[in-house]
Amino acid sequence: MNIPYSINRQWSDQYLPEIRRIVGAHLLQVAPNYLDQHHATDLLMLDGRDLRIAARVRRPGYATRYPYEFTIRSQVASGAMTELAKIVNGEGDWLFYGHASEDGQGLDLWWLIDLRAFRAALIRRSANGIPIRCGDKANADGTCFKWFDIRSFPNEPPLIVACSGVAQSIV
């Protein structure tokens, strides 16, 4: 079944307030005492430049079937540039990857993935043969995804910026 982009976008956009709340908590840090005492600063941005964050939410049911995997669209029937191509080409800093809860009222399992670490791992994999478990998944509508197993990525640089409590227990 080929679900139109607008329908998929409308469905995933319902999770944006929760994604903003989760990601926002990882963009700010408590200012050191000196800045607080002398410069009226209680919080600092983690990174002072633009931070571009991709967001993907999977429908209910996938978290239990694929708890260690994240997917990135690698091909569409129209031939348009996909998320994977954009990411590999250097676009995006972080990827928020979440699973909708069974009741559809929130997110059960989520990861905040550092795309710079992701790209570094792919480069090292190509250059040094580092084994990252991944594969391809094709849907009936001509959309293809590349899946990646989070557990197979090197520890340095860290792939995961943050994750839900459920995700922490499975890594």
Side-chain angles (χ1 to χ4, degrees), residues 27-77:
L27 293 175
L28 295 173
Q29 60 189 11
V30 176
N33 289 340
Y34 177 81
L35 290 179
D36 182 29
Q37 294 167 356
H38 299 282
H39 298 283
T41 304
D42 296 297
L43 299 169
L44 293 172
M45 285 286 293
L46 173 71
D47 196 336
R49 63 176 185 81
D50 277 351
L51 196 61
R52 297 175 186 245
I53 303 163
R56 174 148 161 66
V57 178
R58 295 203 68 184
R59 295 201 188 300
Y62 288 100
T64 54
R65 291 170 46 199
Y66 307 105
Y68 305 106
E69 295 176 8
F70 64 99
T71 61
I72 302 174
R73 189 173 288 107
S74 60
Q75 183 179 340
V76 290

Side-chain angles (χ1 to χ4, degrees), residues 8-171:
N8 278 329
R9 177 70 190 255
Q10 183 179 2
W11 178 84
S12 65
D13 280 358
Q14 72 181 317
Y15 295 97
L16 286 178
E18 186 171 0
I19 293 169
R20 289 177 63 195
R21 180 186 57 76
I22 292 167
V23 173
H26 298 285
L27 293 175
L28 295 173
Q29 60 189 11
V30 176
N33 289 340
Y34 177 81
L35 290 179
D36 182 29
Q37 294 167 356
H38 299 282
H39 298 283
T41 304
D42 296 297
L43 299 169
L44 293 172
M45 285 286 293
L46 173 71
D47 196 336
R49 63 176 185 81
D50 277 351
L51 196 61
R52 297 175 186 245
I53 303 163
R56 174 148 161 66
V57 178
R58 295 203 68 184
R59 295 201 188 300
Y62 288 100
T64 54
R65 291 170 46 199
Y66 307 105
Y68 305 106
E69 295 176 8
F70 64 99
T71 61
I72 302 174
R73 189 173 288 107
S74 60
Q75 183 179 340
V76 290
S78 70
M81 183 177 274
T82 63
E83 287 83 356
L84 184 59
K86 293 171 193 170
I87 290 168
V88 168
N89 287 337
E91 298 295 329
D93 298 301
W94 287 355
L95 166 64
F96 178 89
Y97 190 85
H99 291 270
S101 61
E102 290 298 326
D103 64 8
Q105 299 302 306
L107 299 166
D108 280 343
L109 173 71
W110 58 263
W111 313 88
L112 191 52
I113 296 168
D114 185 333
L115 292 175
R116 292 168 284 196
F118 173 76
R119 286 187 285 271
L122 293 182
I123 290 167
R124 288 186 182 101
R125 173 182 173 223
S126 296
N128 304 328
I130 294 173
I132 295 173
R133 284 188 301 280
C134 60
D136 297 298
K137 167 78 172 109
N139 289 345
D141 67 358
T143 303
C144 297
F145 293 86
K146 179 74 96 176
W147 61 264
F148 298 91
D149 187 324
I150 287 173
R151 301 168 297 177
S152 68
F153 280 78
N155 292 332
E156 291 298 326
L159 180 70
I160 304 301
V161 174
C163 58
S164 62
V166 174
Q168 288 174 347
S169 67
I170 63 174
V171 174

